[in-house]
Amino acid sequence: MSEMKIAADVIAAENEARAQALDAEYAALGETLARRGIEIDNITDKVSEFSVAVPSWGVGTGGTRFARFPGGGEPRGIFDKLDDCAVIHQLTRTTPTVSLHIPWDKADPKELKAKGEALGLGFDAMNSNTFSDAVGQSQSYKYGSLSHTDAATRAQAIEHNLECIEIGNAIGSKALTVWIGDGSNFPGQSHFTRQFERYLASMAEIYKALPDDWRLFSEHKMYEPAFYSTVVQDWGTNYLIANTLGPKAFCLVDLGHHAPNTNIEMIVARLIQFGKLGGFHFNDSKYGDDDLDAGAIDPYRLFLVFNELVDAEHRGVDGFHPAHMIDQSHNVTDPIESLMASANEIRRAYAQALLVDRAALEGYQDENDALMASETLKRAYRTDVEPILAQARRRAGGAIDPIATYRASGYRKKVTMERPASVSGGGGIV
Amino acid sequence: MSEMKIAADVIAAENEARAQALDAEYAALGETLARRGIEIDNITDKVSEFSVAVPSWGVGTGGTRFARFPGGGEPRGIFDKLDDCAVIHQLTRTTPTVSLHIPWDKADPKELKAKGEALGLGFDAMNSNTFSDAVGQSQSYKYGSLSHTDAATRAQAIEHNLECIEIGNAIGSKALTVWIGDGSNFPGQSHFTRQFERYLASMAEIYKALPDDWRLFSEHKMYEPAFYSTVVQDWGTNYLIANTLGPKAFCLVDLGHHAPNTNIEMIVARLIQFGKLGGFHFNDSKYGDDDLDAGAIDPYRLFLVFNELVDAEHRGVDGFHPAHMIDQSHNVTDPIESLMASANEIRRAYAQALLVDRAALEGYQDENDALMASETLKRAYRTDVEPILAQARRRAGGAIDPIATYRASGYRKKVTMERPASVSGGGGIV
Amino acid sequence: MSEMKIAADVIAAENEARAQALDAEYAALGETLARRGIEIDNITDKVSEFSVAVPSWGVGTGGTRFARFPGGGEPRGIFDKLDDCAVIHQLTRTTPTVSLHIPWDKADPKELKAKGEALGLGFDAMNSNTFSDAVGQSQSYKYGSLSHTDAATRAQAIEHNLECIEIGNAIGSKALTVWIGDGSNFPGQSHFTRQFERYLASMAEIYKALPDDWRLFSEHKMYEPAFYSTVVQDWGTNYLIANTLGPKAFCLVDLGHHAPNTNIEMIVARLIQFGKLGGFHFNDSKYGDDDLDAGAIDPYRLFLVFNELVDAEHRGVDGFHPAHMIDQSHNVTDPIESLMASANEIRRAYAQALLVDRAALEGYQDENDALMASETLKRAYRTDVEPILAQARRRAGGAIDPIATYRASGYRKKVTMERPASVSGGGGIV
Amino acid sequence: MSEMKIAADVIAAENEARAQALDAEYAALGETLARRGIEIDNITDKVSEFSVAVPSWGVGTGGTRFARFPGGGEPRGIFDKLDDCAVIHQLTRTTPTVSLHIPWDKADPKELKAKGEALGLGFDAMNSNTFSDAVGQSQSYKYGSLSHTDAATRAQAIEHNLECIEIGNAIGSKALTVWIGDGSNFPGQSHFTRQFERYLASMAEIYKALPDDWRLFSEHKMYEPAFYSTVVQDWGTNYLIANTLGPKAFCLVDLGHHAPNTNIEMIVARLIQFGKLGGFHFNDSKYGDDDLDAGAIDPYRLFLVFNELVDAEHRGVDGFHPAHMIDQSHNVTDPIESLMASANEIRRAYAQALLVDRAALEGYQDENDALMASETLKRAYRTDVEPILAQARRRAGGAIDPIATYRASGYRKKVTMERPASVSGGGGIV
């Protein structure tokens, strides 16, 4: 029995106030879907099985290079963070796992595991950090880490990743995500090829240490913190990495790490086709790596990504099981609220994609009936599936309206009193 | 009584087959909206009053610089085009006016008017063309038109616009839209300031000839057909034009004419605030001026634009009456179908924007409750308003499902037989 | 002895007027370079050996979807085009080969060869066309070609490519370039994976027919003429193609076919590293596939691309011999002038890249001295190498100032009288 | 007599080693320019008069939201910063003024002025900061400053700007630069119009307090730190601000604050034409507001901006005297070196623009000779003007090679010992 961060009676009371409307809307939606030959409960069941991991750093307030404006009750360490993550999962029943970031979340693995079990939380992919210098480290990552010109710096970065695997092994994680800030700010600063060769050699060392049942995710990003070139700049380079390293290596797609106008859903399709889609860092963006809440800016794009995922499921693509994780920076909202809303949006896109009439779509595609193919996607997309999402949450013991219930619970006020404000504003990434 | 291009019994039969489902879904939606304090019929009434003009050139198949692939039954001239436009309006009851493009649509104004009246169609803004050379014109627009270095070329372009006003006057139009291809392909080719001074002087001539109850719309575009600079490159320059010319001059916003990542809805807000929003050319785009069907790529963006329009309506902004027009290029679909679907999408965005709880939104904005403000928009947006749109069409005598009804009518097959295929593939813009 | 399109005495007279200044500036530059340890004649010799192919379609005036404004003396067919290409090579001594486009340039191979020999011109890569419908072809490419859903259409497109190989074989070409317009304009229109599978299967057929000493170049492009997705959208997909097809398949990089802000020189480096850089379509762009003159918009980017090429040469990368071709659309200039200027700009970037002190650069890279690494590139780049380029032309019998000499020759006036203007404005691509 | 941070004999020795080569190259360039009808000393004189301000924050190492990697000898406060700025000016003779940022640079105005005088430095525009919270301030800028919904927050932000004016007045500044981080991260978070009205009202208060001989610069930026909308998002809004406020209000153009692909030089031309160009924040960028060294990424773009400035000078535009300031973030270089190199690049672009043959250019523009117009700019641009820049520095007592001289001086080593490393890595903006 997990420890409950939100009192059961708060949830019950809030749900009670919304149950009648939900039942009516769920029934009406059921009838609409039945007319399309869809059994609503089948969708609700599939949605219930869909989960997405929460990043430990996501429950702290983010920031930019200009400032960070912390909110009340900022988590003081990994155990506070896990408490906050538990709230998210308790109300949404969508986020049963947490993704840790080392060194910030370093702690006795036994204590971590015990805390996770007490809260009903497991651990998703481990995240190493070589884009900033940890206190006391001997080599600086100012000019790179896994691709650094200096062998000692590369060795330190490799060693750090091995430690992440070790910690992950102890707490039940099954994947390592490697994102590096390596790149350059000036034409000429780095030799592209030699730099990439060094990166590949370092990654090969990490790959060698990977347990057999683990996956290694490399993550590409067009720019920031490097502003002229990055070592893993796009999915093309990311594919070369996964292909060079071996069968346990896969590509991670962060929705905000692409060039302007990029067709991301097509990259997803290509990686699926060539067996190298590892998973996602979900978020949304308008300009760059804005790390905004999933679905906040372009919800149709999120749906189109899920359309590819459900299509692959539908076609029974061999070995297809991408990892889902949120990766956002919450600068102006309560991070717990943003993560709940985002988990909901991600499930929404999944539910909408499940409603696509795939037989009809394939027919339109074969006949080059572009208009009806587009309409087939749009019809699924514009279905208001909120009743399905709410029902899935309620049936699993969560909240019909997670935000309202969370606000009613007074959790933020409580932790604001318990957790004294840190003195420093600090950087955006904790 | 208008001439009917689609037989009434076809519409009746198609509607009959869908009426029961529609009534059920309309009723269910009515209950859902009632729970939010909204009377569904009020929305349906407002939607019914909303219309958007169809561009005469939109009913022909478009193309790119690489090729044009005409479909069957391409209109052979303005009277065929008006027939096609009548089909769109008959089935959608959304597009009562047509926007003409001179010289292509030149004809005896009396005949134009008579044909329009017979079909129940009026005439929206006139569009001049100085981005290509008409057969027999004495000066070429290869190096520009209203901003050309040569006075005779400018005079010819001004004269052409005056003729457009004259024709428009005769058929009941009340606005002139000026979009030019003028710009440059090389740094240094044109002197930015002298070029813009010539443009302003030419436009002042046109403005002088504008009847008192007309509006003059200038349209900006970042690039294409000029690829280094355009004279009216963005809304900043567009505002300067409208402001310099006078109170009858306004800015037209085409959704596909902006730099990547541009926040278009904000431009709309700024133009409203400074009294210079003339209207829209609706379409959608992923990369450049793709001229895709409205709402096909980023439907949330279209909603956010309408959110600004409904907000202005709601606030009772003085003199606010933007013109609505579609401007698309249909390369792979039946243009009639694309225009019906687009008109529907535009009304959809309007309907969704009407559902925004503006009192709640203002409250969240005042409290900086970013998450709930976002949720307030999303709640309206994700409402499936198709029953409202379908009901509005049905009540006005149109089709519950315009595409299906159109296909059932056999109109395309019929005109394909009546209108022989033109020999030339020709350019994309007809 | 080749046929001379420009009279030798015109060249001699124009060179005579510029010889003294050139000699002085060449000598002064020689001294400057000597201070950097560089022997100027070595650079001039290397530059003299560098050539770039001219596209047959480049000598006609280009256009956009809005209009084409032809100039005087437009070539009426491939033999006129070859005459124009000969002018370019005669004056620049940089463009000894022409790249043909089928079906436009179809002619008796023997006549083609004879004409080429008479003019001193050879034939570079063959270009197939399946992005528009040729007169009389049975299947339309409206919905695709090599990736079309219909087998007969794919077969026709394959057959066309085989014919291109056959023609090329007869005239001495050694490569086939495949660029297709296939893609989609709407989400859902095409199934990304099935579409790409069809493409790969079609390309495998073409690959099978490729002579052993030929190379197959696939070319990626982000968008246009398709506006939602393209089959070969970026270098990642392009690499997958070349890798799937086999050792004779390579990737072609067109400088204008990328997403905004893309670091193109890095793509070049990656393709070199993985043995798949086939060559280039040189041009410049500010917004999309603008097809502007090479170096007209961002000359430093062109230099950075050549920096990678010279670096690979310097490192002796195995099997490194990329093809160089211009691919531009000349809308507002005399195409012959633009092609001469572009060939010169491409050689300029090559010459500048040869001046980079690579030993110093490698040292700065190893020490992470970003500023001096950048300065090392900039120092080479800002050297005014025009005297080297002019000297290389003069020594090979070309013009010190090709544009001025061309204008002095009266060639355009002469062909304007000889070649009657075509009636149709036509499309942008000839 | 100013205090010398670099010993005069170091400069003398370094110059001595380079004097002969410089004299030879200056003479050769002089001959080349004489052939074009240009007297080299006239250019050198004009270049000598050109200066650009250094931002006080630029001499500290910058950072990103991910990390900051400080270098040795980081300035501990404004007096250290002024010392570093003096080094830059001593060696380049290009940066006689410093732009302060309040509150970081707050100090007794008398001491500031005395220090500046001792070092031979004056004070350029004052910069206020309301994009982060200063220690101890009562209202937070988390949700905005001058446009905040809360009147007390706006009042605090206004008050801060008034204080900046007051300090500036005391030390001889003549301008206030206002850049705010205000905007929103979510659609709906802010009401665009009400937010902008509040901003304009706040700015009107500041404008009222502006001394008669001061200018008020507002600065636009597309995104960051706000990621959905910013209040002053582009030059269109910036123009509206300057126009609304009055004749002392002008627009500041930062080269990195625009949408992808934006033609910045055209914005410069428009602002000059309408009398509202205030000045520049020079830097370079490839993706977003990368704040890289001026001319490091796209030097031709920098030249094209200066081409507009020199053209305006040439035409004698009334009231034309834009402010020049560098605004960069130096993450991987010694900030002093980057600022010296950047000052040099800015002067380089100015010198190149002075070489443009404006009479010829105007002729080509009038005749629509696009190719020769482009060539006219390119000919000036590709002239290697380094001898002019070096001579200008030497004649004014600076270094022929500022970077080498700085390194020879041992200044960085010296201040690294004098200034203990700060404990905290801190944020990117100091």
Side-chain angles (χ1 to χ4, degrees), chain D residues 55-92:
Chain D
S56 70
W57 60 93
V59 291
T61 298
T64 70
R65 64 178 167 131
F66 297 102
R68 192 176 84 88
F69 299 98
E74 295 279 314
R76 293 155 301 179
I78 181 58
F79 297 103
D80 281 355
K81 290 179 193 173
L82 289 171
D83 281 341
D84 290 359
C85 291
V87 170
I88 298 165
H89 185 50
Q90 195 189 343
L91 295 175
T92 64

Tab-separated table of all heavy atoms in Angstrom, chain D residues 55-92:
chain	number	residue	atom	x	y	z
D	55	PRO	N	29.916	46.659	-23.532
D	55	PRO	CA	29.005	46.482	-22.404
D	55	PRO	C	29.782	46.016	-21.186
D	55	PRO	O	30.612	45.114	-21.302
D	55	PRO	CB	28.073	45.374	-22.887
D	55	PRO	CG	28.907	44.549	-23.812
D	55	PRO	CD	29.922	45.483	-24.426
D	56	SER	N	29.514	46.589	-20.058
D	56	SER	CA	30.271	46.221	-18.843
D	56	SER	C	30.161	44.712	-18.581
D	56	SER	O	31.108	44.077	-18.156
D	56	SER	CB	29.725	47.001	-17.642
D	56	SER	OG	28.434	46.533	-17.308
D	57	TRP	N	28.968	44.139	-18.875
D	57	TRP	CA	28.768	42.716	-18.572
D	57	TRP	C	29.532	41.803	-19.538
D	57	TRP	O	29.714	40.630	-19.269
D	57	TRP	CB	27.290	42.350	-18.561
D	57	TRP	CG	26.582	42.607	-19.869
D	57	TRP	CD1	26.392	41.715	-20.887
D	57	TRP	CD2	25.969	43.819	-20.288
D	57	TRP	NE1	25.708	42.309	-21.906
D	57	TRP	CE2	25.425	43.603	-21.570
D	57	TRP	CE3	25.820	45.092	-19.713
D	57	TRP	CZ2	24.750	44.604	-22.274
D	57	TRP	CZ3	25.150	46.081	-20.427
D	57	TRP	CH2	24.633	45.839	-21.682
D	58	GLY	N	29.993	42.387	-20.627
D	58	GLY	CA	30.672	41.577	-21.637
D	58	GLY	C	32.040	41.096	-21.207
D	58	GLY	O	32.552	40.127	-21.781
D	59	VAL	N	32.647	41.738	-20.232
D	59	VAL	CA	33.998	41.323	-19.844
D	59	VAL	C	33.993	40.161	-18.857
D	59	VAL	O	35.050	39.612	-18.538
D	59	VAL	CB	34.836	42.501	-19.288
D	59	VAL	CG1	35.151	43.481	-20.415
D	59	VAL	CG2	34.104	43.200	-18.160
D	60	GLY	N	32.806	39.792	-18.377
D	60	GLY	CA	32.703	38.559	-17.587
D	60	GLY	C	32.344	37.404	-18.510
D	60	GLY	O	31.754	37.616	-19.570
D	61	THR	N	32.687	36.194	-18.107
D	61	THR	CA	32.320	35.035	-18.908
D	61	THR	C	30.811	34.830	-18.857
D	61	THR	O	30.200	34.921	-17.785
D	61	THR	CB	33.032	33.774	-18.366
D	61	THR	OG1	34.436	33.980	-18.501
D	61	THR	CG2	32.625	32.542	-19.148
D	62	GLY	N	30.211	34.603	-19.996
D	62	GLY	CA	28.774	34.384	-20.066
D	62	GLY	C	28.412	32.953	-19.722
D	62	GLY	O	29.217	32.209	-19.162
D	63	GLY	N	27.192	32.579	-20.057
D	63	GLY	CA	26.749	31.230	-19.752
D	63	GLY	C	25.414	30.963	-20.380
D	63	GLY	O	24.847	31.812	-21.074
D	64	THR	N	24.929	29.770	-20.160
D	64	THR	CA	23.621	29.389	-20.671
D	64	THR	C	22.770	28.935	-19.496
D	64	THR	O	23.247	28.900	-18.366
D	64	THR	CB	23.740	28.231	-21.670
D	64	THR	OG1	24.105	27.051	-20.951
D	64	THR	CG2	24.780	28.530	-22.748
D	65	ARG	N	21.535	28.567	-19.769
D	65	ARG	CA	20.723	28.068	-18.658
D	65	ARG	C	21.288	26.748	-18.125
D	65	ARG	O	20.944	26.302	-17.025
D	65	ARG	CB	19.271	27.900	-19.084
D	65	ARG	CG	19.057	26.850	-20.165
D	65	ARG	CD	17.562	26.705	-20.501
D	65	ARG	NE	17.386	25.940	-21.714
D	65	ARG	CZ	16.551	24.914	-21.853
D	65	ARG	NH1	15.782	24.547	-20.842
D	65	ARG	NH2	16.455	24.271	-22.985
D	66	PHE	N	22.174	26.104	-18.891
D	66	PHE	CA	22.706	24.820	-18.461
D	66	PHE	C	23.928	24.952	-17.559
D	66	PHE	O	24.117	24.162	-16.646
D	66	PHE	CB	23.047	23.964	-19.683
D	66	PHE	CG	21.847	23.631	-20.512
D	66	PHE	CD1	21.585	24.302	-21.693
D	66	PHE	CD2	20.959	22.663	-20.084
D	66	PHE	CE1	20.453	24.014	-22.441
D	66	PHE	CE2	19.824	22.365	-20.829
D	66	PHE	CZ	19.568	23.052	-22.011
D	67	ALA	N	24.745	25.949	-17.861
D	67	ALA	CA	25.971	26.091	-17.078
D	67	ALA	C	26.666	27.390	-17.423
D	67	ALA	O	26.411	28.004	-18.450
D	67	ALA	CB	26.933	24.933	-17.359
D	68	ARG	N	27.545	27.786	-16.514
D	68	ARG	CA	28.493	28.856	-16.790
D	68	ARG	C	29.861	28.337	-16.382
D	68	ARG	O	30.004	27.733	-15.318
D	68	ARG	CB	28.149	30.117	-15.978
D	68	ARG	CG	28.933	31.352	-16.438
D	68	ARG	CD	28.522	32.615	-15.685
D	68	ARG	NE	29.220	32.743	-14.422
D	68	ARG	CZ	30.404	33.346	-14.264
D	68	ARG	NH1	31.014	33.904	-15.287
D	68	ARG	NH2	30.981	33.405	-13.078
D	69	PHE	N	30.833	28.486	-17.242
D	69	PHE	CA	32.178	28.002	-16.956
D	69	PHE	C	33.105	29.200	-16.869
D	69	PHE	O	33.658	29.642	-17.882
D	69	PHE	CB	32.654	27.069	-18.070
D	69	PHE	CG	31.802	25.837	-18.268
D	69	PHE	CD1	30.832	25.790	-19.259
D	69	PHE	CD2	31.990	24.723	-17.455
D	69	PHE	CE1	30.063	24.652	-19.452
D	69	PHE	CE2	31.220	23.574	-17.646
D	69	PHE	CZ	30.248	23.537	-18.638
D	70	PRO	N	33.303	29.759	-15.668
D	70	PRO	CA	34.084	30.989	-15.570
D	70	PRO	C	35.538	30.752	-15.946
D	70	PRO	O	36.062	29.646	-15.835
D	70	PRO	CB	33.945	31.386	-14.103
D	70	PRO	CG	33.426	30.197	-13.387
D	70	PRO	CD	32.834	29.262	-14.380
D	71	GLY	N	36.162	31.793	-16.420
D	71	GLY	CA	37.588	31.745	-16.709
D	71	GLY	C	38.383	32.302	-15.527
D	71	GLY	O	37.833	32.578	-14.459
D	72	GLY	N	39.678	32.485	-15.708
D	72	GLY	CA	40.492	33.069	-14.654
D	72	GLY	C	40.354	34.577	-14.646
D	72	GLY	O	40.124	35.195	-15.690
D	73	GLY	N	40.478	35.188	-13.447
D	73	GLY	CA	40.501	36.641	-13.360
D	73	GLY	C	39.182	37.302	-13.694
D	73	GLY	O	39.154	38.436	-14.186
D	74	GLU	N	38.082	36.630	-13.397
D	74	GLU	CA	36.767	37.252	-13.638
D	74	GLU	C	36.652	38.555	-12.853
D	74	GLU	O	37.014	38.609	-11.670
D	74	GLU	CB	35.652	36.307	-13.156
D	74	GLU	CG	35.540	35.006	-13.914
D	74	GLU	CD	34.786	35.165	-15.220
D	74	GLU	OE1	33.724	35.819	-15.210
D	74	GLU	OE2	35.270	34.651	-16.253
D	75	PRO	N	36.147	39.598	-13.449
D	75	PRO	CA	36.002	40.866	-12.723
D	75	PRO	C	35.049	40.704	-11.533
D	75	PRO	O	34.000	40.089	-11.652
D	75	PRO	CB	35.450	41.824	-13.776
D	75	PRO	CG	34.897	40.969	-14.862
D	75	PRO	CD	35.702	39.699	-14.843
D	76	ARG	N	35.434	41.311	-10.413
D	76	ARG	CA	34.622	41.160	-9.196
D	76	ARG	C	33.571	42.252	-9.050
D	76	ARG	O	32.759	42.215	-8.153
D	76	ARG	CB	35.558	41.171	-7.980
D	76	ARG	CG	36.473	39.965	-7.911
D	76	ARG	CD	37.730	40.287	-7.113
D	76	ARG	NE	38.481	41.401	-7.688
D	76	ARG	CZ	39.611	41.895	-7.180
D	76	ARG	NH1	40.119	41.377	-6.063
D	76	ARG	NH2	40.219	42.913	-7.772
D	77	GLY	N	33.647	43.230	-9.892
D	77	GLY	CA	32.691	44.337	-9.767
D	77	GLY	C	32.983	45.336	-10.863
D	77	GLY	O	33.851	45.119	-11.712
D	78	ILE	N	32.271	46.445	-10.816
D	78	ILE	CA	32.353	47.394	-11.912
D	78	ILE	C	33.755	47.979	-12.085
D	78	ILE	O	34.185	48.266	-13.206
D	78	ILE	CB	31.294	48.524	-11.747
D	78	ILE	CG1	31.374	49.511	-12.923
D	78	ILE	CG2	31.429	49.251	-10.421
D	78	ILE	CD1	31.169	48.882	-14.287
D	79	PHE	N	34.511	48.123	-11.001
D	79	PHE	CA	35.838	48.737	-11.173
D	79	PHE	C	36.805	47.781	-11.871
D	79	PHE	O	37.594	48.197	-12.723
D	79	PHE	CB	36.356	49.275	-9.831
D	79	PHE	CG	35.471	50.378	-9.307
D	79	PHE	CD1	34.553	50.142	-8.281
D	79	PHE	CD2	35.512	51.645	-9.882
D	79	PHE	CE1	33.711	51.155	-7.843
D	79	PHE	CE2	34.668	52.669	-9.442
D	79	PHE	CZ	33.767	52.417	-8.428
D	80	ASP	N	36.709	46.503	-11.540
D	80	ASP	CA	37.484	45.510	-12.308
D	80	ASP	C	37.043	45.513	-13.774
D	80	ASP	O	37.854	45.422	-14.691
D	80	ASP	CB	37.261	44.090	-11.751
D	80	ASP	CG	38.071	43.810	-10.484
D	80	ASP	OD1	38.874	44.680	-10.089
D	80	ASP	OD2	37.878	42.728	-9.904
D	81	LYS	N	35.743	45.599	-13.975
D	81	LYS	CA	35.233	45.581	-15.352
D	81	LYS	C	35.791	46.759	-16.150
D	81	LYS	O	36.160	46.617	-17.323
D	81	LYS	CB	33.698	45.638	-15.353
D	81	LYS	CG	33.023	44.365	-14.841
D	81	LYS	CD	31.491	44.522	-14.859
D	81	LYS	CE	30.814	43.425	-14.065
D	81	LYS	NZ	29.351	43.657	-13.929
D	82	LEU	N	35.840	47.912	-15.497
D	82	LEU	CA	36.359	49.083	-16.204
D	82	LEU	C	37.838	48.901	-16.546
D	82	LEU	O	38.283	49.314	-17.622
D	82	LEU	CB	36.118	50.349	-15.373
D	82	LEU	CG	34.646	50.770	-15.297
D	82	LEU	CD1	34.464	51.905	-14.286
D	82	LEU	CD2	34.123	51.204	-16.673
D	83	ASP	N	38.563	48.267	-15.651
D	83	ASP	CA	39.963	47.970	-15.978
D	83	ASP	C	40.041	47.126	-17.249
D	83	ASP	O	40.833	47.409	-18.153
D	83	ASP	CB	40.626	47.197	-14.821
D	83	ASP	CG	41.025	48.110	-13.673
D	83	ASP	OD1	41.139	49.338	-13.893
D	83	ASP	OD2	41.218	47.600	-12.552
D	84	ASP	N	39.226	46.088	-17.302
D	84	ASP	CA	39.245	45.210	-18.481
D	84	ASP	C	38.834	45.977	-19.746
D	84	ASP	O	39.423	45.792	-20.819
D	84	ASP	CB	38.312	44.004	-18.276
D	84	ASP	CG	38.854	43.030	-17.222
D	84	ASP	OD1	39.952	43.279	-16.675
D	84	ASP	OD2	38.176	42.020	-16.944
D	85	CYS	N	37.837	46.822	-19.594
D	85	CYS	CA	37.400	47.620	-20.752
D	85	CYS	C	38.521	48.540	-21.236
D	85	CYS	O	38.666	48.795	-22.434
D	85	CYS	CB	36.172	48.458	-20.389
D	85	CYS	SG	34.695	47.464	-20.107
D	86	ALA	N	39.301	49.026	-20.279
D	86	ALA	CA	40.404	49.922	-20.651
D	86	ALA	C	41.444	49.178	-21.488
D	86	ALA	O	42.041	49.753	-22.408
D	86	ALA	CB	41.049	50.510	-19.393
D	87	VAL	N	41.668	47.920	-21.163
D	87	VAL	CA	42.598	47.113	-21.961
D	87	VAL	C	42.114	47.043	-23.407
D	87	VAL	O	42.894	47.220	-24.354
D	87	VAL	CB	42.716	45.688	-21.372
D	87	VAL	CG1	43.489	44.781	-22.328
D	87	VAL	CG2	43.363	45.728	-20.003
D	88	ILE	N	40.833	46.773	-23.549
D	88	ILE	CA	40.252	46.652	-24.894
D	88	ILE	C	40.467	47.933	-25.692
D	88	ILE	O	40.886	47.903	-26.843
D	88	ILE	CB	38.741	46.314	-24.781
D	88	ILE	CG1	38.563	44.965	-24.084
D	88	ILE	CG2	38.074	46.320	-26.143
D	88	ILE	CD1	37.159	44.684	-23.595
D	89	HIS	N	40.192	49.049	-25.036
D	89	HIS	CA	40.333	50.315	-25.756
D	89	HIS	C	41.797	50.665	-26.005
D	89	HIS	O	42.153	51.173	-27.064
D	89	HIS	CB	39.645	51.444	-24.995
D	89	HIS	CG	39.670	52.732	-25.754
D	89	HIS	ND1	39.285	52.825	-27.069
D	89	HIS	CD2	40.082	53.984	-25.408
D	89	HIS	CE1	39.426	54.066	-27.497
D	89	HIS	NE2	39.912	54.778	-26.509
D	90	GLN	N	42.620	50.347	-25.031
D	90	GLN	CA	44.032	50.706	-25.200
D	90	GLN	C	44.628	50.024	-26.429
D	90	GLN	O	45.388	50.633	-27.177
D	90	GLN	CB	44.805	50.313	-23.939
D	90	GLN	CG	46.194	50.974	-23.894
D	90	GLN	CD	47.046	50.432	-22.771
D	90	GLN	OE1	46.536	49.809	-21.836
D	90	GLN	NE2	48.348	50.670	-22.863
D	91	LEU	N	44.257	48.773	-26.634
D	91	LEU	CA	44.848	48.008	-27.738
D	91	LEU	C	44.135	48.241	-29.071
D	91	LEU	O	44.753	48.187	-30.129
D	91	LEU	CB	44.877	46.523	-27.390
D	91	LEU	CG	45.787	46.161	-26.200
D	91	LEU	CD1	45.664	44.690	-25.844
D	91	LEU	CD2	47.244	46.525	-26.492
D	92	THR	N	42.820	48.471	-29.017
D	92	THR	CA	42.077	48.625	-30.287
D	92	THR	C	41.827	50.076	-30.653
D	92	THR	O	41.555	50.382	-31.813
D	92	THR	CB	40.699	47.937	-30.203
D	92	THR	OG1	39.912	48.604	-29.215
D	92	THR	CG2	40.833	46.457	-29.860
